Amino acid sequence: MTGRRAGQKEAPVICFAGCDWWYHNRGLFCPQIMKRLAKHSRVLFVNSLGVRIPSLRKDRSAVKKFIRKFRSLLRFLRKAEDGMWVLSPVSIPLGSRIGRKLNVFSVFLQVKLAAVLLGFKNHVVYIGCPPALGVAKKLGPRQFMIYERTDLYEEMPQSDRSYISSLDDELTRSADLVLYVNRVLYEQGIGKNENSLLLGHGVDFDFFVNSTKSERVPDDIAGVPHPIIGWFGDISEKTSDIRLLEYAAGRLPEMSFVFVGPISADVSRLKQFKNVHFLGPKPYEQVPFYGKEFDVAIMAWNQSRWIEYCNPVKTKEYLALGKPIVSTYYPEIEPYSDVVYVARDYDSFVSCILKALQEDSPDRVQERRERVRNETWDSKVEQIEAAIEKHSSL
């Protein structure tokens, strides 16, 4: 990754991820980039450090989150695939200054032990979780530091906004390279660090396209009547407009609304509709086989600062599947407004679904795919490596 000469191995990468390899969506930015770097660099993927403690009172899925995290911690250090090891460090996001220092030191010892066991030296640091900054500082000399700024981290529910904002500011200013997927964040950050790169998300293009050529249909969606209005991904209070989904399902009773993914929002009223089907979370490898059964793919985002600064991975995945997309407005959808139906209100969302069904055709399927054909994760890694090479040669 850093200007190697012929015959030299590339520097190992210690990645402080913003997600957990064992239970989060592996279609996200960080896992996809690390999977590809692991083909020619050894990678230590450190599962997300605590940004907040789930509240049993405010978060209806808190118990499930505790259980899945506990299961992840039991794995501690495991080889996930060729070239990549995953570390699940014990990390408790304590609020006091002393508590944070103790937490940083504890995680540092765990990461250092893993690095020693794996023989990592002269490493590259990749940070996708701001609280990892203190740990990264303690690890000693490094070749390069990359900061992945894919979301407005300080807007994460139950997090300490001022603390996360201060970490983000330091990372943005001190990183050797800052990666962005959102133009607004990029424009705000490039004034702090000129070594910034606006990438956008990638897509596993061939994987999604090839799924549509397969006759495989998962059992739990095979019996659902068409037309299917589908969504894959998390359904949460933070991002999803549940009332809009209720409205659409009520207005279109002859259509099946299918949701594939984990649920942390209150969907009790939505479940009462006979045309609504919740199929639960699925491994990333199965997601395209559900998506290919959708007649229309939807993105019902709420209007919040989190959404204002987001750039959902599923947009390009839906396009690679060739599916017509109906979405509520968010800034990063604008470049795709010619291939996505953008709804500004509830009635428009319903009418866009009807229009998407009526106007779909093989030509439109191909048009959607062509828009993301060159937006692969491999191309994103090439851009990152080119940026590193340029910086290293200065």
Side-chain angles (χ1 to χ4, degrees), residues 133 142 145 169-176 193:
L133 176 60
R142 58 176 181 264
M145 185 169 78
D169 184 69
E170 184 175 352
L171 278 163
T172 301
R173 295 179 186 279
S174 62
D176 297 301
N193 189 334

Side-chain angles (χ1 to χ4, degrees), residues 136 194 219 232 271 297 311 384:
E194 63 181 11
D219 292 341
F232 56 65
K271 286 182 176 180
N311 189 359
I384 293 171

Side-chain angles (χ1 to χ4, degrees), residues 225-236:
H226 287 265
I228 292 176
I229 314 304
W231 162 303
F232 56 65
D234 293 7
I235 300 176
S236 70

Side-chain angles (χ1 to χ4, degrees), residues 250-265:
R251 286 285 305 276
L252 301 170
E254 72 284 2
M255 299 183 188
S256 299
F257 284 75
V258 172
F259 301 93
V260 179
I263 302 169
S264 59

Side-chain angles (χ1 to χ4, degrees), residues 325-330 333 336-337 340-344 348 352:
I325 304 172
V326 174
S327 177
T328 53
Y329 176 78
Y330 61 98
I333 200 65
Y336 298 97
S337 59
V340 174
Y341 297 87
V342 181
R344 296 284 182 164
S348 175
C352 281

Side-chain angles (χ1 to χ4, degrees), residues 93-121:
L94 302 172
S96 69
R97 182 176 298 180
I98 295 177
R100 286 170 180 161
K101 287 184 177 181
L102 289 173
N103 197 41
V104 165
F105 186 69
S106 171
V107 174
F108 157 70
L109 291 177
Q110 296 171 73
V111 175
K112 186 67 175 179
L113 173 61
V116 170
L117 291 174
L118 297 173
F120 277 31
K121 296 179 180 179

